Amino acid sequence: MNVLVIGGGGREHALAWKLAASEKVQRVFVAPGNGGTALDKRLTNVALTDPQALADFAQAEKVQLTVVGPEAPLSQGVVDVFRARGLRIFGPTQSAARLESSKAFAKDFMKRHGIPTAAYETFTDPAAAHAFVDKLGAPIVIKADGLAAGKGVVVAMTLDEAHEAVRFMLEDHTLGVVHNEGGARVVIEEFLQGEEASFIVLVDGKNVLPLATSQDHKRIGDGDTGPNTGGMGAYSPAPVVTPNVHARAMHEVILPTVAGMARDGVPFTGFLYAGLMIDANGQPKTLEFNTRMGDPETQPILMRLKSDLVDVLVHACEGTLDQVELQWDRRFALGVVMAAAGYPASPRKGDVVTGLPADPAGSDDVMVFHAGTALQDGRLVTTGGRVLCVTALGDSARTAQQRAYEAVQPIRFDGAQFRSDIGHRAIKR
């Protein structure tokens, strides 16, 4: 069959790479794709982003399965457009995608349905927001209500940081947030102690199929220092998600969310990602929802997936996920993000990337997934903040870490940034 992956980041490269490995697939189109998908002869980039144009393309090329990677097309209703034409697509409708596209909607939903999360208030008035920050004190968490490419959350350790976050989210509009109806809005919530994990499942409207657990590294610097980013690396599995924590996450967060969406008349289909904070007693609380797979969590998760992803997604589209049992590589997978100079505030573009492995499809245990790259005049150049995710498998967290960093070493571009401690929590455990 012909398959279409919508998006152009590292997550979409990983999805396309995994789908292309299926014997059932003839061609994998990636729209718009990136330099890495351009280099892989099994993949074909398509310079389209508009939902109607994508649906036209899918009809013309007889695409039998489409999967949506990033949040922006979901919030624009691409799933609604495809379904209206009878095209098979995996992802949430525009209405269901509000779980991610509006932090205020998600927090109100969790409160209404009794899903554990941090106490919060929502503000559009800067003066009221600043007063609430002073009342609650620091540390405190400030979240932009709209989509912000993974950078719309500030964990402020001081009152000055909190007030600055309120200013640039509500007053200065310097974050590039895609605001929802009514303009700029922030959610301000209590700071939760614990260890963070990414809990991602597939949902077909009623059935839920958990993926392997994973953990992201949000901050730019070693030791979890510096500003938040879209993610500087990830690994799978996440040792913090013990069997007990896994059961609690399913029964206290995931299943009530799927049931609550159905009760509200907005049945959820697609990848559902719960960012969890797990306290010392193993109690998970929901930090946020994403309505797609995480980036960079997708890369190590799909490195470990042994099942045919095409079969899994077809079942998900047909409402038969209860018939699927996923098979996983027992090994540990770890991905290190290499980011552009100036990331996350003002990433530089146009730097030439060299030293990549000869085979763009990777080896059995190492794969370089592209995110912010493009082919220009036969050269690979940087086009965004997070440039690559170098991902490796190993028998232990330490072995996977060593292999990933060995694969990072020969890769060069001016100003490249990467953390040297991805996986430190897993190794410590």
Side-chain angles (χ1 to χ4, degrees), residues 36-116:
T37 53
L39 287 168
D40 191 333
K41 291 180 171 55
R42 303 170 304 162
L43 312 176
T44 303
N45 283 1
V46 182
L48 295 173
T49 55
D50 175 72
Q52 296 290 350
L54 287 163
D56 290 342
F57 176 84
Q59 285 184 315
E61 293 293 335
K62 297 182 171 54
V63 169
Q64 292 168 276
L65 172 66
T66 299
V67 57
V68 189
E71 57 273 30
L74 294 171
S75 69
Q76 293 162 4
V78 69
V79 170
D80 308 69
V81 170
F82 271 61
R83 286 187 182 170
R85 300 201 198 181
L87 295 165
R88 184 194 277 149
I89 185 168
F90 187 61
T93 60
Q94 185 176 33
S95 186
R98 284 184 298 164
L99 272 177
E100 175 169 9
S101 62
S102 172
K103 296 284 192 293
F105 172 87
K107 295 292 286 192
D108 292 346
F109 172 87
M110 286 187 270
K111 185 176 182 180
R112 195 164 64 249
H113 291 284
I115 295 161

Side-chain angles (χ1 to χ4, degrees), residues 124-145:
T124 55
D125 174 42
H130 287 298
F132 185 72
V133 165
D134 286 330
K135 175 185 170 186
L136 208 59
I140 190 170
V141 181
I142 319 292
K143 296 180 176 180
D145 181 42

Side-chain angles (χ1 to χ4, degrees), residues 1 3 5 11-25 65 67 90 202 209 211 271 293 298 301-302 305-317 321 324 326-328:
M1 66 169 72
V3 176
V5 176
R11 165 187 48 231
E12 291 76 45
H13 187 187
L15 284 164
W17 168 83
K18 190 65 182 175
L19 290 164
S22 171
E23 293 180 356
K24 296 182 172 68
V25 169
L65 172 66
V67 57
F90 187 61
L202 293 98
L209 183 66
L211 293 173
F271 294 108
M293 287 190 79
T298 303
I301 288 173
L302 291 187
L305 180 64
K306 297 176 80 171
S307 304
D308 188 322
L309 185 57
V310 171
D311 286 342
V312 176
L313 294 179
V314 168
H315 275 290
C317 290
L321 274 178
V324 178
L326 297 176
Q327 303 297 319
W328 297 100

Side-chain angles (χ1 to χ4, degrees), residues 197-199 213-214 238-247 249 276 278 429:
S198 306
F199 201 93
T213 60
S214 59
V240 68
V241 184
T242 62
N244 178 59
V245 170
H246 194 284
L276 302 178
I278 300 156
R429 279 180 175 268

Side-chain angles (χ1 to χ4, degrees), residues 81-287:
V81 170
F82 271 61
R83 286 187 182 170
R85 300 201 198 181
L87 295 165
R88 184 194 277 149
I89 185 168
F90 187 61
T93 60
Q94 185 176 33
S95 186
R98 284 184 298 164
L99 272 177
E100 175 169 9
S101 62
S102 172
K103 296 284 192 293
F105 172 87
K107 295 292 286 192
D108 292 346
F109 172 87
M110 286 187 270
K111 185 176 182 180
R112 195 164 64 249
H113 291 284
I115 295 161
T117 189
Y120 72 101
E121 294 289 343
T122 302
F123 299 91
T124 55
D125 174 42
H130 287 298
F132 185 72
V133 165
D134 286 330
K135 175 185 170 186
L136 208 59
I140 190 170
V141 181
I142 319 292
K143 296 180 176 180
D145 181 42
L147 295 177
K151 297 187 285 292
V153 177
V154 172
V155 181
M157 303 310 291
T158 66
L159 285 175
D160 284 346
E161 288 177 342
H163 287 301
E164 182 186 1
V166 169
R167 277 193 294 275
F168 71 63
M169 288 184 193
L170 274 186
E171 300 169 52
D172 301 339
H173 306 297
T174 55
L175 202 63
V177 177
V178 180
H179 295 301
N180 294 305
E181 288 180 16
R185 187 185 291 114
V186 294
V187 172
I188 303 179
E189 60 184 44
E190 66 171 328
F191 174 80
L192 296 178
Q193 294 279 4
E195 189 169 341
E196 202 171 333
S198 306
F199 201 93
I200 307 173
V201 302
L202 293 98
V203 186
D204 66 10
K206 54 179 181 177
N207 301 300
V208 175
L209 183 66
L211 293 173
T213 60
S214 59
Q215 191 171 65
D216 187 10
H217 298 61
K218 289 289 186 195
R219 292 184 180 266
I220 188 79
D222 285 2
D224 302 311
T225 57
N228 263 1
T229 71
M232 292 301 294
Y235 56 84
S236 174
V240 68
V241 184
T242 62
N244 178 59
V245 170
H246 194 284
R248 294 189 71 167
M250 285 294 290
H251 290 285
E252 297 174 23
V253 177
I254 300 295
L255 296 177
T257 298
V258 174
M261 292 293 281
R263 267 202 307 278
D264 289 353
V266 192
F268 189 93
T269 59
F271 294 108
L272 179 62
Y273 169 132
L276 302 178
M277 184 65 78
I278 300 156
D279 69 15
N281 299 316
Q283 165 69 48
K285 284 192 176 181
T286 313
L287 296 172

